[in-house]
Amino acid sequence: MNDKLDANGTCVLVTGGAGFIGSHTVVCLLEQGKEVVIVDDLSNANEKALDRIAQIVGEEAAERITFVRADVNDRAALDAIFEEFDIDSVIHFAGYKAVGESVEKPIEYYSNNIGNTLTLVDAMRDHGCKKLIFSSSATVYGDPDALPLTEESPKKMCTNPYGWTKWMIEEILRSVAFADPEWDIVLLRYFNPIGAHPSGLIGEDPKGIPNNLLPYVSQVAVGRREAVHVFGNDYDTPDGTGVRDYIHVMDLAAGHVAALNWMSDKSGCEVFNLGTGTGTSVLQIINAFSEACGHEVPYVIEPRRPGDVSANYADCSKAAELLGWKAQYNVADMCRDSWNWQSHNPNGFEG
């Protein structure tokens, strides 16, 4: 992997590119022949992910990656990147993402997530790069009035500072696109990303106690934790547990590439849901994972958590129509690939 790269053709800056979704997206970009510059401070990622990306794509494609260890809030570092490379577009993943931690540290979350976006967009503007894909979230829909959720569904009150940062950044970027028609911005609202690269070389490796369901289930299955905590079994759902739209991280990564290719001659700000359109309950996930790993995954029922909604799933027909994108993997595939990653990497990138 080169420390420096003479960027020819399409060069994409990927902030947070060593993280879970970022690393899988970088693989897809390289497989599409793109040049990629990753900027990541590794606060919630592992540099070993970069070596694994190189293993997946092969030596020749790995020559098209440059890694810069820097905080996206560091304007001087961003200026240096834009001056050295002919950046064509930016995919912005970088940000704090633990819901519970955001409640405990609201100042840090607002400062980092909103601050780094403002710093990035200002640097992009000054260097004449005005194509941006933003990593947003279905959390902006809040407690839905009706399902499935479309891009026209109203944005609602969020239940935590993490969600509010996504909500606010969307509004900031809409304002940027409205003020300057040269901007081409896509907001991708993810539902619940799970799974891992089929090779088992990269996957989700959260630091500390996992905030999301699947990494917790994986760690229980591999023996790192005793049981999955299921929060609430009295929702108005088929089995009483919360229903979510789980999407394979490789489908999500492919969605970014599809959006990037679609943007080529557009302007303004557009929103797309990325999900499967199918709701799956917590117990269904645990059962599917038990099947994938070959043994029962123990769980305990806990009281509901404040702010959790009973059900949430997407209508992704807009992405299908405009981007030509549709999720290809089902829940069994997601659990199989998650287990393949976790079983071969029981302690994540550390072994």
Side-chain angles (χ1 to χ4, degrees):
M1 200 179 311
N2 289 343
D3 291 330
K4 289 194 173 184
L5 175 68
D6 180 17
N8 297 309
T10 302
C11 184
V12 185
L13 175 64
V14 182
T15 74
F20 174 43
I21 302 170
S23 61
H24 290 78
T25 301
V26 167
V27 167
C28 285
L29 291 168
L30 293 168
E31 289 174 345
Q32 287 271 317
K34 315 286 190 191
E35 310 274 0
V36 178
V37 178
I38 297 169
V39 58
D40 198 309
D41 67 359
L42 302 179
S43 62
N44 195 37
N46 193 308
E47 194 166 2
K48 291 179 182 177
L50 303 169
D51 296 327
R52 302 287 186 88
I53 291 170
Q55 287 182 55
I56 291 168
V57 300
E59 190 175 331
E60 185 177 340
E63 289 296 313
R64 289 186 270 107
I65 313 170
T66 300
F67 172 60
V68 179
R69 183 169 184 173
D71 186 334
V72 181
N73 284 292
D74 183 344
R75 177 58 190 269
L78 291 184
D79 284 338
I81 290 168
F82 280 104
E83 285 162 12
E84 183 173 357
F85 304 104
D86 184 17
I87 305 293
D88 176 75
S89 50
V90 178
I91 303 178
H92 182 32
F93 295 107
Y96 296 159
K97 62 176 187 176
V99 170
E101 184 182 61
S102 77
V103 177
E104 299 165 5
K105 299 180 177 180
I107 295 171
E108 286 81 358
Y109 269 69
Y110 287 120
S111 176
N112 182 71
N113 291 9
I114 296 174
N116 77 19
T117 304
L118 291 170
T119 301
L120 174 65
V121 172
D122 193 37
M124 290 176 66
R125 177 179 61 177
D126 285 358
H127 293 275
C129 176
K130 296 185 178 181
K131 284 186 185 176
L132 175 66
I133 296 175
F134 174 60
S135 166
S136 192
S137 168
T139 191
V140 302
Y141 292 119
D143 193 353
D145 295 328
L147 293 172
L149 286 157
T150 74
E151 291 82 357
E152 301 304 314
S153 298
K155 291 172 68 172
K156 307 281 283 294
M157 295 287 288
C158 294
T159 57
N160 55 75
Y162 163 76
W164 278 117
T165 64
K166 296 295 188 185
W167 202 105
M168 294 175 188
I169 291 167
E170 282 199 1
E171 297 311 305
I172 290 167
L173 296 177
R174 287 181 191 277
S175 299
V176 168
F178 181 79
D180 181 354
E182 291 184 357
W183 279 89
D184 185 2
I185 297 173
V186 170
L187 311 175
L188 295 180
R189 292 177 179 163
Y190 311 161
F191 278 70
N192 292 67
I194 62 173
H197 192 273
S199 67
L201 288 169
I202 55 174
E204 189 164 9
D205 184 22
K207 297 190 177 180
I209 299 172
N211 183 64
N212 296 324
L213 175 64
L214 246 290
Y216 206 104
V217 172
S218 300
Q219 291 186 12
V220 171
V222 85
R224 285 174 62 181
R225 302 188 186 279
E226 287 187 9
V228 181
H229 297 270
V230 178
F231 297 100
N233 66 345
D234 57 349
Y235 288 105
D236 184 17
T237 61
D239 62 21
T241 63
V243 167
R244 299 291 181 270
D245 188 340
Y246 296 93
I247 176 173
H248 197 296
V249 67
M250 292 307 299
D251 278 331
L252 194 58
H256 289 77
V257 175
L260 192 65
N261 293 335
W262 175 81
M263 291 170 76
S264 59
D265 58 352
K266 308 290 189 305
S267 65
C269 183
E270 201 67 66
V271 181
F272 293 97
N273 287 337
L274 293 184
T276 64
T278 301
T280 305
S281 76
V282 174
L283 290 184
Q284 286 175 322
I285 287 285
I286 293 172
N287 291 335
F289 205 94
S290 296
E291 194 161 316
C293 71
H295 59 83
E296 291 297 315
V297 176
Y299 65 89
V300 293
I301 303 296
E302 306 277 8
R304 292 188 187 191
R305 289 184 300 193
D308 279 352
V309 300
S310 62
N312 187 328
Y313 54 92
D315 177 335
C316 300
S317 55
K318 182 178 176 182
E321 180 183 348
L322 297 184
L323 306 183
W325 173 91
K326 189 175 182 182
Q328 302 298 313
Y329 295 84
N330 62 30
V331 167
D333 300 327
M334 301 176 209
C335 292
R336 176 201 65 210
D337 291 341
S338 288
W339 176 240
N340 186 39
W341 153 253
Q342 191 74 73
S343 60
H344 288 95
N345 303 272
N347 295 304
F349 288 108
E350 295 307 322

